[in-house]
Amino acid sequence: MRQYGLIGFPLGHSFSQRYFAEKFQKEGIENCSYMNFPIEKIEKIEEVLHEHSDLQGFNVTIPYKQAIIPYLSKLSREAETIGAVNCVRRTPEGLIGYNTDAYGFHRSLNTLLNGVHPGRALVLGTGGASRAIKFVLSEMNIPFDTVSRRLQGADYTYKILTDEIIQAHRLIINCTPLGTFPKTDEYPDLPYEAIGPSHFLFDLVYNPPLTEFLRRGEQRGASIQNGYEMLVGQAELSWEIWNDPNPDTFQPCAG
């Protein structure tokens, strides 16, 4: 039995286990399972590896996308540049870390933009989730500014955002967990009245499908996209990585 899984904490909100179970059934993939490993501290990864010798690879989610790196023997180019890992393949030589979030986001963002260059982007949040997003924006030559509750490490705080700033950033990306089920009434504190039909709003949150952030943007005529397509893209690339015969040289196709 080939085993795969997800580490993070908590994992009640995760879609990965259900997604892979459905994938295995739909595609007739036999002798495979996908488990959740809700570990309360990253050190527990050693116990998971010891107790699950058939674990071929695993995904990594909040809060361990950076904390997992010291346990890895090698990083892909994207993972090293981004400084965050969400996919790990187990090999006889050790654990290899990859970042498939960047691929998933790139592919989904292309769908949202549909060939339009948005000018400048505003990235909400400066945590680990924003690292892959900023990497992709740089690769796509989309300049960006960041927003956080504190000015340290960011260009703006939410309190100093103005209508003019929002209007100057046609692409707004929520990299915070605000609005995630069950706290669906939460949303980033923005001057939403400044959003209009020329804006694009992307939310990494996928549960619920329509967050309050996206709903408010849609009410103002903005084009919107949630994080589900991004998750599907990163999950499928993870599967390719885990099953590639040459993990040391694996390179994803362009998003």
Side-chain angles (χ1 to χ4, degrees):
M1 174 70 75
R2 289 183 294 155
Q3 197 172 76
Y4 304 92
L6 173 70
I7 69 164
F9 192 83
L11 293 180
H13 68 284
S14 174
F15 99 129
S16 297
Q17 187 176 42
R18 183 179 73 253
Y19 180 83
F20 278 103
E22 292 174 354
K23 175 181 175 67
F24 297 156
Q25 182 177 20
K26 182 170 56 179
E27 299 181 16
I29 299 172
E30 299 180 344
N31 298 317
C32 286
S33 67
Y34 191 100
M35 299 176 60
N36 282 346
F37 300 103
I39 56 177
E40 295 186 22
K41 53 184 180 179
I42 190 60
E43 290 81 7
K44 293 284 187 179
I45 186 59
E46 295 179 336
E47 292 181 20
V48 171
L49 294 170
H50 178 72
E51 294 171 5
H52 298 271
S53 58
D54 291 334
L55 188 63
Q56 307 289 304
F58 54 92
N59 292 119
V60 183
T61 190
I62 294 170
Y64 301 131
K65 292 186 179 185
Q66 294 167 264
I68 190 64
I69 292 176
Y71 295 86
L72 309 178
S73 60
K74 186 176 180 179
L75 293 175
S76 70
R77 180 187 71 87
E78 289 84 1
E80 186 171 12
T81 302
I82 294 167
V85 165
N86 75 308
C87 175
V88 175
R89 175 164 174 172
R90 194 178 197 178
T91 74
E93 292 74 35
L95 303 176
I96 305 177
Y98 304 83
N99 190 296
T100 64
D101 280 338
Y103 169 85
F105 175 66
H106 193 171
R107 191 177 78 161
S108 188
L109 182 61
N110 277 336
T111 300
L112 174 64
L113 296 178
N114 194 28
V116 176
H117 194 288
R120 198 167 189 88
L122 200 61
V123 179
L124 310 181
T126 55
S130 70
R131 288 175 173 262
I133 276 58
K134 292 186 286 188
F135 172 81
V136 170
L137 293 175
S138 296
E139 293 279 296
M140 295 177 68
N141 295 314
I142 299 175
F144 60 86
D145 296 302
T146 56
V147 184
S148 185
R149 288 172 295 177
R150 293 177 292 275
L151 196 55
Q152 185 178 5
D155 298 293
Y156 303 105
T157 64
Y158 292 98
K159 291 182 178 180
I160 64 176
L161 289 178
T162 63
D163 288 1
E164 290 73 24
I165 292 172
I166 295 297
Q167 290 163 1
H169 296 78
R170 293 172 57 206
L171 172 60
I172 305 175
I173 306 158
N174 178 36
C175 301
T176 78
L178 290 172
T180 303
F181 181 85
K183 299 181 179 180
T184 57
D185 58 337
E186 296 182 348
Y187 54 91
D189 185 15
L190 308 178
Y192 288 91
E193 66 277 2
I195 293 173
S198 65
H199 276 87
F200 300 89
L201 270 60
F202 193 111
D203 200 334
L204 269 61
V205 174
Y206 61 92
N207 182 16
L210 184 66
T211 60
E212 184 65 15
F213 167 70
L214 292 181
R215 188 188 70 80
R216 288 175 175 238
E218 187 176 48
Q219 283 185 328
R220 303 290 302 176
S223 301
I224 63 171
Q225 180 83 301
N226 67 28
Y228 183 77
E229 185 180 287
M230 173 182 169
L231 279 171
V232 170
Q234 68 85 12
E236 289 297 326
L237 184 59
S238 293
W239 181 248
E240 288 185 38
I241 289 170
W242 294 330
N243 291 279
D244 190 270
N246 299 300
D248 286 339
T249 58
F250 182 87
Q251 292 294 333
C253 60

mmCIF file of all heavy atoms in Angstrom, residues 8 31 38 50 57 65 72 76 79-81 96 106-107 113 119 125 136 140 156 165-166 168 170 212 215 242 244 246:
data_model
loop_
_atom_site.group_PDB
_atom_site.id
_atom_site.type_symbol
_atom_site.label_atom_id
_atom_site.label_comp_id
_atom_site.label_asym_id
_atom_site.label_seq_id
_atom_site.Cartn_x
_atom_site.Cartn_y
_atom_site.Cartn_z
ATOM 1 N N GLY A 8 0.018 19.329 9.198
ATOM 2 C CA GLY A 8 -0.358 20.698 9.536
ATOM 3 C C GLY A 8 -1.144 20.657 10.834
ATOM 4 O O GLY A 8 -1.304 19.606 11.444
ATOM 5 N N ASN A 31 -4.335 0.500 -4.368
ATOM 6 C CA ASN A 31 -3.288 0.342 -3.348
ATOM 7 C C ASN A 31 -2.650 1.670 -2.948
ATOM 8 O O ASN A 31 -1.442 1.768 -2.733
ATOM 9 C CB ASN A 31 -2.205 -0.628 -3.842
ATOM 10 C CG ASN A 31 -2.748 -2.016 -4.098
ATOM 11 O OD1 ASN A 31 -3.534 -2.538 -3.314
ATOM 12 N ND2 ASN A 31 -2.355 -2.605 -5.224
ATOM 13 N N PRO A 38 -2.465 15.525 11.762
ATOM 14 C CA PRO A 38 -2.542 16.811 12.478
ATOM 15 C C PRO A 38 -1.550 16.860 13.636
ATOM 16 O O PRO A 38 -1.882 16.512 14.770
ATOM 17 C CB PRO A 38 -3.992 16.838 12.965
ATOM 18 C CG PRO A 38 -4.356 15.389 13.127
ATOM 19 C CD PRO A 38 -3.592 14.630 12.090
ATOM 20 N N HIS A 50 8.589 7.632 11.124
ATOM 21 C CA HIS A 50 8.988 6.372 11.740
ATOM 22 C C HIS A 50 7.825 5.370 11.770
ATOM 23 O O HIS A 50 8.007 4.172 11.490
ATOM 24 C CB HIS A 50 9.497 6.611 13.159
ATOM 25 C CG HIS A 50 9.877 5.350 13.884
ATOM 26 N ND1 HIS A 50 11.009 4.627 13.567
ATOM 27 C CD2 HIS A 50 9.257 4.672 14.897
ATOM 28 C CE1 HIS A 50 11.075 3.558 14.353
ATOM 29 N NE2 HIS A 50 10.033 3.564 15.169
ATOM 30 N N GLY A 57 5.097 10.283 0.245
ATOM 31 C CA GLY A 57 5.175 11.735 0.125
ATOM 32 C C GLY A 57 4.037 12.366 0.880
ATOM 33 O O GLY A 57 3.066 11.695 1.253
ATOM 34 N N LYS A 65 4.916 25.288 6.594
ATOM 35 C CA LYS A 65 5.523 25.395 5.268
ATOM 36 C C LYS A 65 6.965 25.887 5.308
ATOM 37 O O LYS A 65 7.745 25.614 4.382
ATOM 38 C CB LYS A 65 4.676 26.307 4.366
ATOM 39 C CG LYS A 65 3.322 25.712 3.999
ATOM 40 C CD LYS A 65 2.579 26.573 3.007
ATOM 41 C CE LYS A 65 1.234 25.950 2.646
ATOM 42 N NZ LYS A 65 0.529 26.711 1.588
ATOM 43 N N LEU A 72 14.530 18.592 5.631
ATOM 44 C CA LEU A 72 14.673 18.167 4.248
ATOM 45 C C LEU A 72 16.137 18.073 3.842
ATOM 46 O O LEU A 72 16.977 18.834 4.334
ATOM 47 C CB LEU A 72 13.936 19.142 3.323
ATOM 48 C CG LEU A 72 12.477 19.455 3.704
ATOM 49 C CD1 LEU A 72 11.890 20.473 2.743
ATOM 50 C CD2 LEU A 72 11.634 18.186 3.734
ATOM 51 N N SER A 76 13.691 22.037 -4.202
ATOM 52 C CA SER A 76 13.597 22.417 -5.608
ATOM 53 C C SER A 76 13.942 23.889 -5.749
ATOM 54 O O SER A 76 13.997 24.636 -4.769
ATOM 55 C CB SER A 76 12.180 22.171 -6.131
ATOM 56 O OG SER A 76 11.273 23.104 -5.551
ATOM 57 N N ALA A 79 11.068 26.081 -4.421
ATOM 58 C CA ALA A 79 10.958 26.039 -2.963
ATOM 59 C C ALA A 79 12.081 26.829 -2.303
ATOM 60 O O ALA A 79 11.863 27.538 -1.315
ATOM 61 C CB ALA A 79 10.972 24.592 -2.475
ATOM 62 N N GLU A 80 13.272 26.722 -2.855
ATOM 63 C CA GLU A 80 14.408 27.451 -2.286
ATOM 64 C C GLU A 80 14.239 28.950 -2.453
ATOM 65 O O GLU A 80 14.501 29.734 -1.539
ATOM 66 C CB GLU A 80 15.706 26.994 -2.940
ATOM 67 C CG GLU A 80 16.952 27.583 -2.319
ATOM 68 C CD GLU A 80 18.233 26.955 -2.834
ATOM 69 O OE1 GLU A 80 18.182 26.222 -3.830
ATOM 70 O OE2 GLU A 80 19.288 27.214 -2.231
ATOM 71 N N THR A 81 13.780 29.363 -3.626
ATOM 72 C CA THR A 81 13.584 30.798 -3.889
ATOM 73 C C THR A 81 12.444 31.359 -3.040
ATOM 74 O O THR A 81 12.565 32.446 -2.464
ATOM 75 C CB THR A 81 13.275 31.022 -5.380
ATOM 76 O OG1 THR A 81 14.342 30.511 -6.169
ATOM 77 C CG2 THR A 81 13.099 32.513 -5.669
ATOM 78 N N ILE A 96 12.785 15.406 -0.111
ATOM 79 C CA ILE A 96 12.968 16.500 -1.072
ATOM 80 C C ILE A 96 11.741 17.402 -1.004
ATOM 81 O O ILE A 96 10.604 16.936 -1.067
ATOM 82 C CB ILE A 96 13.139 15.972 -2.507
ATOM 83 C CG1 ILE A 96 14.290 14.969 -2.582
ATOM 84 C CG2 ILE A 96 13.389 17.134 -3.471
ATOM 85 C CD1 ILE A 96 14.465 14.350 -3.964
ATOM 86 N N HIS A 106 -0.360 30.300 -10.200
ATOM 87 C CA HIS A 106 -0.080 30.831 -11.540
ATOM 88 C C HIS A 106 -1.172 30.409 -12.521
ATOM 89 O O HIS A 106 -1.708 31.226 -13.277
ATOM 90 C CB HIS A 106 1.290 30.323 -12.008
ATOM 91 C CG HIS A 106 1.818 31.026 -13.218
ATOM 92 N ND1 HIS A 106 3.094 30.847 -13.687
ATOM 93 C CD2 HIS A 106 1.237 31.907 -14.065
ATOM 94 C CE1 HIS A 106 3.286 31.591 -14.764
ATOM 95 N NE2 HIS A 106 2.165 32.242 -15.020
ATOM 96 N N ARG A 107 -1.512 29.135 -12.491
ATOM 97 C CA ARG A 107 -2.521 28.616 -13.406
ATOM 98 C C ARG A 107 -3.887 29.256 -13.159
ATOM 99 O O ARG A 107 -4.589 29.652 -14.100
ATOM 100 C CB ARG A 107 -2.623 27.093 -13.245
ATOM 101 C CG ARG A 107 -3.443 26.426 -14.326
ATOM 102 C CD ARG A 107 -3.449 24.916 -14.156
ATOM 103 N NE ARG A 107 -4.365 24.494 -13.089
ATOM 104 C CZ ARG A 107 -4.830 23.252 -12.992
ATOM 105 N NH1 ARG A 107 -4.443 22.325 -13.849
ATOM 106 N NH2 ARG A 107 -5.659 22.923 -12.017
ATOM 107 N N LEU A 113 -7.339 36.443 -14.892
ATOM 108 C CA LEU A 113 -6.943 37.627 -15.654
ATOM 109 C C LEU A 113 -7.319 37.521 -17.137
ATOM 110 O O LEU A 113 -7.569 38.538 -17.791
ATOM 111 C CB LEU A 113 -5.438 37.854 -15.521
ATOM 112 C CG LEU A 113 -4.927 38.167 -14.107
ATOM 113 C CD1 LEU A 113 -3.407 38.326 -14.118
ATOM 114 C CD2 LEU A 113 -5.584 39.428 -13.537
ATOM 115 N N GLY A 119 -1.767 45.660 -14.078
ATOM 116 C CA GLY A 119 -0.999 46.811 -13.586
ATOM 117 C C GLY A 119 -0.274 46.439 -12.313
ATOM 118 O O GLY A 119 0.700 45.686 -12.336
ATOM 119 N N GLY A 125 -1.482 40.264 3.518
ATOM 120 C CA GLY A 125 -0.842 39.268 4.361
ATOM 121 C C GLY A 125 0.616 39.078 3.988
ATOM 122 O O GLY A 125 0.978 39.119 2.803
ATOM 123 N N VAL A 136 5.228 34.241 -7.857
ATOM 124 C CA VAL A 136 4.538 34.168 -9.140
ATOM 125 C C VAL A 136 4.343 35.561 -9.738
ATOM 126 O O VAL A 136 4.546 35.758 -10.948
ATOM 127 C CB VAL A 136 3.181 33.454 -8.980
ATOM 128 C CG1 VAL A 136 2.340 33.593 -10.252
ATOM 129 C CG2 VAL A 136 3.389 31.992 -8.634
ATOM 130 N N MET A 140 5.639 36.871 -13.346
ATOM 131 C CA MET A 140 4.714 37.381 -14.355
ATOM 132 C C MET A 140 4.910 38.876 -14.618
ATOM 133 O O MET A 140 4.140 39.480 -15.363
ATOM 134 C CB MET A 140 3.272 37.130 -13.901
ATOM 135 C CG MET A 140 2.906 35.658 -13.808
ATOM 136 S SD MET A 140 1.214 35.382 -13.183
ATOM 137 C CE MET A 140 0.225 36.025 -14.553
ATOM 138 N N TYR A 156 2.084 48.701 3.474
ATOM 139 C CA TYR A 156 0.949 49.411 4.058
ATOM 140 C C TYR A 156 0.386 48.614 5.230
ATOM 141 O O TYR A 156 0.533 47.390 5.285
ATOM 142 C CB TYR A 156 -0.187 49.590 3.029
ATOM 143 C CG TYR A 156 0.170 50.310 1.758
ATOM 144 C CD1 TYR A 156 0.324 49.599 0.561
ATOM 145 C CD2 TYR A 156 0.326 51.687 1.730
ATOM 146 C CE1 TYR A 156 0.638 50.253 -0.628
ATOM 147 C CE2 TYR A 156 0.638 52.353 0.550
ATOM 148 C CZ TYR A 156 0.793 51.627 -0.618
ATOM 149 O OH TYR A 156 1.101 52.275 -1.792
ATOM 150 N N ILE A 165 -5.156 54.271 -3.060
ATOM 151 C CA ILE A 165 -4.280 53.097 -3.066
ATOM 152 C C ILE A 165 -5.001 51.906 -3.696
ATOM 153 O O ILE A 165 -4.443 51.175 -4.519
ATOM 154 C CB ILE A 165 -3.815 52.762 -1.639
ATOM 155 C CG1 ILE A 165 -2.876 53.867 -1.115
ATOM 156 C CG2 ILE A 165 -3.112 51.407 -1.592
ATOM 157 C CD1 ILE A 165 -2.519 53.729 0.354
ATOM 158 N N ILE A 166 -6.255 51.696 -3.304
ATOM 159 C CA ILE A 166 -7.033 50.592 -3.865
ATOM 160 C C ILE A 166 -7.204 50.765 -5.373
ATOM 161 O O ILE A 166 -7.067 49.806 -6.149
ATOM 162 C CB ILE A 166 -8.408 50.490 -3.179
ATOM 163 C CG1 ILE A 166 -8.235 50.118 -1.700
ATOM 164 C CG2 ILE A 166 -9.289 49.468 -3.888
ATOM 165 C CD1 ILE A 166 -7.592 48.775 -1.449
ATOM 166 N N ALA A 168 -5.275 52.196 -7.396
ATOM 167 C CA ALA A 168 -3.987 52.032 -8.075
ATOM 168 C C ALA A 168 -3.535 50.574 -8.136
ATOM 169 O O ALA A 168 -2.526 50.265 -8.775
ATOM 170 C CB ALA A 168 -2.912 52.873 -7.373
ATOM 171 N N ARG A 170 -5.158 47.126 -9.230
ATOM 172 C CA ARG A 170 -6.334 46.488 -9.824
ATOM 173 C C ARG A 170 -6.446 45.008 -9.470
ATOM 174 O O ARG A 170 -7.517 44.415 -9.615
ATOM 175 C CB ARG A 170 -6.319 46.677 -11.340
ATOM 176 C CG ARG A 170 -6.516 48.134 -11.776
ATOM 177 C CD ARG A 170 -6.292 48.279 -13.267
ATOM 178 N NE ARG A 170 -7.170 47.395 -14.029
ATOM 179 C CZ ARG A 170 -6.881 46.946 -15.250
ATOM 180 N NH1 ARG A 170 -5.748 47.298 -15.828
ATOM 181 N NH2 ARG A 170 -7.723 46.158 -15.884
ATOM 182 N N GLU A 212 -16.674 36.637 2.184
ATOM 183 C CA GLU A 212 -17.180 38.006 2.290
ATOM 184 C C GLU A 212 -16.296 38.960 1.491
ATOM 185 O O GLU A 212 -16.783 39.919 0.886
ATOM 186 C CB GLU A 212 -17.241 38.423 3.761
ATOM 187 C CG GLU A 212 -17.850 39.797 4.008
ATOM 188 C CD GLU A 212 -19.321 39.899 3.636
ATOM 189 O OE1 GLU A 212 -19.973 38.842 3.448
ATOM 190 O OE2 GLU A 212 -19.828 41.034 3.512
ATOM 191 N N ARG A 215 -17.393 38.463 -2.050
ATOM 192 C CA ARG A 215 -18.765 38.941 -2.218
ATOM 193 C C ARG A 215 -18.804 40.458 -2.340
ATOM 194 O O ARG A 215 -19.506 41.009 -3.204
ATOM 195 C CB ARG A 215 -19.642 38.478 -1.055
ATOM 196 C CG ARG A 215 -21.131 38.764 -1.247
ATOM 197 C CD ARG A 215 -21.927 38.466 0.009
ATOM 198 N NE ARG A 215 -21.641 39.440 1.062
ATOM 199 C CZ ARG A 215 -22.192 40.661 1.123
ATOM 200 N NH1 ARG A 215 -23.044 41.049 0.186
ATOM 201 N NH2 ARG A 215 -21.903 41.485 2.112
ATOM 202 N N TRP A 242 5.317 13.026 -6.723
ATOM 203 C CA TRP A 242 5.449 11.793 -5.958
ATOM 204 C C TRP A 242 5.661 10.582 -6.857
ATOM 205 O O TRP A 242 6.224 9.578 -6.426
ATOM 206 C CB TRP A 242 4.199 11.576 -5.101
ATOM 207 C CG TRP A 242 4.020 12.600 -4.026
ATOM 208 C CD1 TRP A 242 4.994 13.289 -3.364
ATOM 209 C CD2 TRP A 242 2.771 13.057 -3.485
ATOM 210 N NE1 TRP A 242 4.437 14.156 -2.447
ATOM 211 C CE2 TRP A 242 3.074 14.025 -2.500
ATOM 212 C CE3 TRP A 242 1.433 12.737 -3.732
ATOM 213 C CZ2 TRP A 242 2.093 14.682 -1.766
ATOM 214 C CZ3 TRP A 242 0.454 13.398 -3.003
ATOM 215 C CH2 TRP A 242 0.779 14.351 -2.033
ATOM 216 N N ASP A 244 7.012 10.754 -10.145
ATOM 217 C CA ASP A 244 7.994 10.954 -11.204
ATOM 218 C C ASP A 244 9.195 10.042 -10.980
ATOM 219 O O ASP A 244 9.688 9.931 -9.853
ATOM 220 C CB ASP A 244 8.441 12.419 -11.238
ATOM 221 C CG ASP A 244 9.280 12.726 -12.465
ATOM 222 O OD1 ASP A 244 10.513 12.576 -12.383
ATOM 223 O OD2 ASP A 244 8.710 13.102 -13.495
ATOM 224 N N ASN A 246 12.201 10.488 -11.788
ATOM 225 C CA ASN A 246 13.442 11.241 -11.541
ATOM 226 C C ASN A 246 13.162 12.448 -10.657
ATOM 227 O O ASN A 246 13.166 13.587 -11.137
ATOM 228 C CB ASN A 246 14.069 11.691 -12.863
ATOM 229 C CG ASN A 246 14.429 10.515 -13.751
ATOM 230 O OD1 ASN A 246 15.225 9.667 -13.370
ATOM 231 N ND2 ASN A 246 13.830 10.482 -14.939
#
